[in-house]
Amino acid sequence: MTGAVDEERAARAYLLRVAEPPAPSLGRFVEENGPIQAAALVRAGRCPARVREETAARKDQALAEHDLAEASRLGARLVIPEDDEWPAWPLLALELASARGLTGVAPPLGLWVRGDERLDEAADKAVSIVGARAATSYGEHVASEFAYELAGRGVPIFSGAAYGIDGAAHRGALAADGTTVAVLGCGLDVGYPAGHVALLERIAERGLVLTEYPPGTPPARHRFLVRNRLIAALAEGTVVVEAGARSGARNTAGTAGALGKVVMAVPGPIGSATSVGCHQLIRDASATLVASVGDVVETIGRFGSDAGDAGPPRPRRPTDGLAKDALRVHEALGLRKGKSAEQIATESGIEVAKVRATLPALEIDELAERCETGWRRRREAR
Amino acid sequence: MTGAVDEERAARAYLLRVAEPPAPSLGRFVEENGPIQAAALVRAGRCPARVREETAARKDQALAEHDLAEASRLGARLVIPEDDEWPAWPLLALELASARGLTGVAPPLGLWVRGDERLDEAADKAVSIVGARAATSYGEHVASEFAYELAGRGVPIFSGAAYGIDGAAHRGALAADGTTVAVLGCGLDVGYPAGHVALLERIAERGLVLTEYPPGTPPARHRFLVRNRLIAALAEGTVVVEAGARSGARNTAGTAGALGKVVMAVPGPIGSATSVGCHQLIRDASATLVASVGDVVETIGRFGSDAGDAGPPRPRRPTDGLAKDALRVHEALGLRKGKSAEQIATESGIEVAKVRATLPALEIDELAERCETGWRRRREAR
């Protein structure tokens, strides 16, 4: 860690404590001013009204050092957008959806993470498995089997840490010696739910436990709902294994759909109350029916080649490690027809001067190339 | 019965015996020449080569009188297109699909029917319930429950007469004192399957048992497949309750889809081999998931109001009883914009002179009206 990043990390630790996520106005304020300046302005109360609203109640809780020390004591770290391992690509979906006006999906300002895996690698082509706490043995069996088979093929599994489907999914992935990630709605040190403390230890050893909530934050119903956007965003697709008519899992599925992710649901016997939500999702075409891991792999499509081969770790995506603006510029490039810098600026929402500065850097990284009509994406050489 | 219809009935009884259904060329030949003339020509071998191919092997089996007497002995009748109770509207789907070039779906030349219900009334807004012979108790329970509830709401049930789902569906409908119709792949007197002879008796008492095969025709695999088009066509929608990866029920579902009928499938536990076919139908969007009778009613849509009310018999459709050509002319009319007789002729495939003769008759029946730009459908007054 460089000193500069440490300052940014401390600033983001402060900001994560003062606003209850998701805090869209604070997020935009940090984008515009950078985290260090934004933190100073928030603390001084010198920020726009909407940002003040999000931060006024806790702006004097200057606990960054304490929180970072506490994380360190827990064997955890704060991963921030300035870090290489920040999962910029998957989280871009949150930023774009938030920019489109979807509420409650602003990206996190940072993530408290426990475990040795790199977060960006764990969030590369992952699958979320979610479902009811009051699951049936059928549901737990399916969650565990799906997670076991997917993790065995090298697909990282994301879930919450609840009883029922979540726990079964993590256990399945662990049994396959695969990567599994638990996303919490409370601080890393809170040990919730109590019956899963040992499971969370094992997950941290083999994969990751993460949260945007600072150490000591107690769990709360709204925090689980807010947390669900991370489970939806950090995976390529979400599988709902069992869900009642109204359930958190349906909320995650709805968010995943709104983010443009693949949403899948497992059917069950029609008399089962915990399959009602799955059947509704399939019936109203919000989710694709999956009856096997083969169906999941086929549905996600891009997994076609990769997920079939277990064995050596998959190559990183060429765009991994790109700054968020560079990603957006890259995203705006066409595959065949070239575009002008002005066009790219309009489509990406990045100002044209920055687009002009970014394109040659993408060219050096072999991610963009010039052609007769402008700039286009360079096909991946893989 | 008039003498004229009796002659047509005898002609069709002869034709049903000499050609193995579906016999598309014979069907067209009968359309063109009328049944009496067609029968005479077939018997004399004076028909086009394609018709001869369909009829050569059995054209000397002149068993019409015998078959009609045998039917009478069984308490059955031969219903023909010239009869008022012929279900012209539902069977139009077969004619149109056949005209479009779909093979194996030519309409029947007549139907041997046992039971007191009118066939056209039984086939009015009916639901087919189909599925595996080797059903699970889950599947049989669902079939029986769905049939019970639908029949209790006045919706007639159609199915085969096989063990498993078919039998469960009929039993459910009978328990609700509703109308249920068994469509056979053999003669009415064959008593197949043996274990369902008593059930078929009860169905004939409360609803209908029908087949296009003359008395004495033994069951055969291809006859069940050919029979499936009738189950698909005579109902508004088909519900597949349980089906293996390859099954007759999927065949019925495929035909129903090709006929433009509503196809529905019931999900089940993903480990169950008899739900594999249902899950595939839902997954590839060939069928809509239905997890309750409410879902079935909602999916069929038009049932929205009618199926909700049990009680008095539903009013007949205004177009019931129209001759087939008149139905096709009516079908070709637009709801808002008027069309010329020439346009209607082109769209309906009925010659323009006949269209011109038919339109005033439809006007008298309050089914068509003149407007500035020609003829249009008159909104139903119901």
Side-chain angles (χ1 to χ4, degrees), chain A residues 127-331:
Chain A
V127 166
S128 288
I129 296 182
V130 300
R133 267 169 302 168
T136 67
S137 59
Y138 166 72
E140 293 197 4
H141 175 76
V142 170
S144 174
E145 279 294 308
F146 274 33
Y148 179 87
E149 285 189 48
L150 286 167
R153 298 186 189 198
V155 178
I157 303 300
F158 276 68
S159 192
Y163 296 128
I165 299 301
D166 289 10
H170 291 305
R171 284 191 197 92
L174 289 171
D177 230 9
T179 299
T180 194
V181 180
V183 186
L184 309 182
C186 62
L188 287 177
D189 57 338
V190 172
Y192 180 87
H196 275 177
V197 169
L199 177 63
L200 286 167
E201 282 300 317
R202 285 172 56 214
I203 295 170
E205 277 163 30
R206 284 281 327 150
L208 298 171
V209 179
L210 66 85
T211 182
E212 48 189 333
Y213 298 101
T217 308
R221 187 170 154 67
H222 75 271
R223 291 191 176 125
F224 292 118
L225 292 173
V226 165
R227 176 276 315 262
N228 287 348
R229 82 193 195 290
L230 299 180
I231 296 179
L234 289 169
E236 200 87 10
T238 296
V239 179
V240 184
V241 175
E242 279 194 324
R246 289 170 186 194
S247 67
R250 288 194 69 181
N251 166 269
T252 308
T255 303
L259 297 179
K261 304 281 182 171
V262 178
V263 184
M264 295 157 278
V266 177
I270 63 170
S272 170
T274 48
S275 286
V276 169
C278 292
H279 293 157
Q280 285 172 345
L281 285 168
I282 297 166
R283 190 167 153 69
D284 69 15
S286 303
T288 301
L289 182 150
V290 287
S292 66
V293 166
D295 284 352
V296 174
V297 170
E298 187 189 296
T299 307
I300 300 209
R302 311 172 40 169
F303 282 179
S305 51
D306 290 18
D309 321 316
R314 296 182 307 289
R316 298 185 60 211
R317 198 173 308 199
T319 46
D320 285 355
L322 279 191
K324 200 154 46 186
D325 286 352
L327 266 179
R328 280 167 69 165
V329 169
H330 181 256
E331 184 77 331

Side-chain angles (χ1 to χ4, degrees), chain B:
Chain B
M1 289 185 200
T2 69
V5 168
D6 275 350
E7 245 185 283
E8 282 158 342
R9 201 178 313 282
R12 287 186 180 270
Y14 164 77
L15 293 166
L16 278 166
R17 164 82 56 188
V18 299
E20 181 77 23
S25 302
L26 177 58
R28 279 193 297 275
F29 191 64
V30 173
E31 286 276 303
E32 289 157 15
N33 297 283
I36 300 168
Q37 175 79 347
L41 291 169
V42 164
R43 201 159 170 191
R46 283 166 42 211
C47 49
R50 301 188 63 167
V51 177
R52 255 203 316 275
E53 267 171 45
E54 289 175 3
T55 53
R58 301 193 205 139
K59 76 179 174 58
D60 298 326
Q61 295 190 18
L63 298 175
E65 266 181 61
H66 164 272
D67 287 346
L68 286 164
E70 186 66 13
S72 176
R73 197 184 59 78
L74 296 163
R77 62 193 183 275
L78 177 60
V79 179
I80 60 174
E82 290 77 9
D83 289 325
D84 275 354
E85 67 166 312
W86 183 253
W89 182 268
L91 292 178
L92 187 61
L94 289 176
E95 190 168 329
L96 296 176
S98 204
R100 275 203 318 273
L102 192 66
T103 57
V105 294
L109 294 166
L111 290 167
W112 300 97
V113 177
R114 222 185 126 199
D116 295 332
E117 289 271 328
R118 271 182 69 123
L119 177 53
D120 59 341
E121 285 176 8
D124 183 32
K125 300 182 181 173
V127 166
S128 288
I129 296 183
V130 299
R133 267 169 302 168
T136 66
S137 59
Y138 165 72
E140 293 196 6
H141 175 76
V142 170
S144 173
E145 279 294 307
F146 274 34
Y148 179 87
E149 284 189 50
L150 286 167
R153 297 186 191 199
V155 178
I157 302 300
F158 277 68
S159 191
Y163 297 128
I165 299 301
D166 290 10
H170 290 303
R171 285 193 196 91
L174 289 170
D177 230 8
T179 299
T180 194
V181 181
V183 186
L184 308 182
C186 61
L188 286 177
D189 57 337
V190 172
Y192 179 89
H196 275 176
V197 169
L199 177 63
L200 286 167
E201 283 300 318
R202 284 173 57 215
I203 295 170
E205 278 163 28
R206 282 285 325 152
L208 299 170
V209 179
L210 66 89
T211 182
E212 48 190 332
Y213 299 102
T217 308
R221 188 171 152 64
H222 75 271
R223 290 191 178 126
F224 292 118
L225 292 173
V226 166
R227 177 273 318 259
N228 288 346
R229 81 193 194 292
L230 299 180
I231 297 178
L234 289 169
E236 200 89 9
T238 295
V239 178
V240 184
V241 175
E242 277 195 324
R246 289 170 187 194
S247 66
R250 286 195 69 182
N251 167 270
T252 309
T255 303
L259 296 180
K261 304 280 182 170
V262 178
V263 185
M264 296 157 277
V266 177
I270 62 171
S272 170
T274 47
S275 285
V276 168
C278 292
H279 293 156
Q280 285 172 346
L281 284 169
I282 297 166
R283 190 167 154 68
D284 69 15
S286 302
T288 301
L289 183 150
V290 287
S292 67
V293 167
D295 284 351
V296 174
V297 170
E298 188 190 295
T299 306
I300 301 209
R302 314 172 38 170
F303 283 178
S305 52
D306 291 17
D309 321 319
R314 294 182 307 288
R316 298 188 59 213
R317 202 174 307 205
T319 48
D320 286 354
L322 279 192
K324 203 154 43 183
D325 286 351
L327 265 180
R328 279 167 70 165
V329 169
H330 181 255
E331 184 79 331
L333 292 171
L335 276 174
R336 287 209 191 79
K337 275 179 69 176
K339 293 179 184 172
S340 68
E342 289 75 15
Q343 260 181 298
I344 296 165
T346 309
E347 290 179 28
S348 64
I350 310 282
E351 45 178 335
V352 66
K354 189 147 193 186
V355 170
R356 284 214 186 86
T358 305
L359 286 165
L362 289 174
E363 190 179 25
I364 291 167
D365 289 346
E366 303 192 340
L367 291 167
E369 61 187 8
R370 291 169 217 251
C371 63
E372 282 174 24
T373 51
W375 289 85
R376 67 180 172 202
R377 202 177 289 187
R378 181 158 167 183
R379 283 165 196 278
E380 300 177 12
R382 254 208 235 184

